[in-house]
Amino acid sequence: MKKFIIAFLVFIFANLTLISQAFAETVMYNTQTHKVHKVSCPHAKKCTKNCIKIERKDAYNKGGVPCKTCGG
Ligand SMILES: [Zn+2]
């Protein structure tokens, strides 16, 4: 029974991680090249001047293009 509870808790935590990733939709959007980067992308880290943090859907609404390295 104890094992079952532990397995159940692991299952819940694994799903919470997936859910939080799905909602973490903030991306780095380059207002000059219109490239959309994941926040963790090395290009996003280099891009400090023209990049803004916005929601992924807003970036694509503005005509964003997915980065070839991180896929946006
Ligand atoms: Zn990128």
Side-chain angles (χ1 to χ4, degrees), residues 2-26:
K2 209 174 178 183
K3 263 187 185 168
F4 173 77
I5 291 169
I6 290 167
F8 183 71
L9 286 176
V10 168
F11 175 78
I12 297 281
F13 277 116
N15 278 299
L16 280 178
T17 310
L18 282 178
I19 290 164
S20 62
Q21 275 172 359
F23 279 97
E25 285 191 321
T26 308

Side-chain angles (χ1 to χ4, degrees), residues 5-67:
I5 291 169
I6 290 167
F8 183 71
L9 286 176
V10 168
F11 175 78
I12 297 281
F13 277 116
N15 278 299
L16 280 178
T17 310
L18 282 178
I19 290 164
S20 62
Q21 275 172 359
F23 279 97
E25 285 191 321
T26 308
V27 293
M28 292 299 275
Y29 177 61
N30 190 318
T31 54
Q32 211 142 63
T33 65
H34 304 286
K35 285 271 164 69
V36 180
H37 299 281
K38 287 188 174 73
V39 178
S40 58
C41 177
H43 295 296
K45 281 175 184 157
K46 275 186 216 157
C47 177
T48 50
K49 234 184 183 177
N50 304 313
C51 282
I52 52 167
K53 250 188 181 180
I54 58 170
E55 270 186 58
R56 174 172 280 127
K57 63 169 165 48
D58 291 339
Y60 287 108
N61 282 342
K62 286 176 195 286
V65 181
C67 163

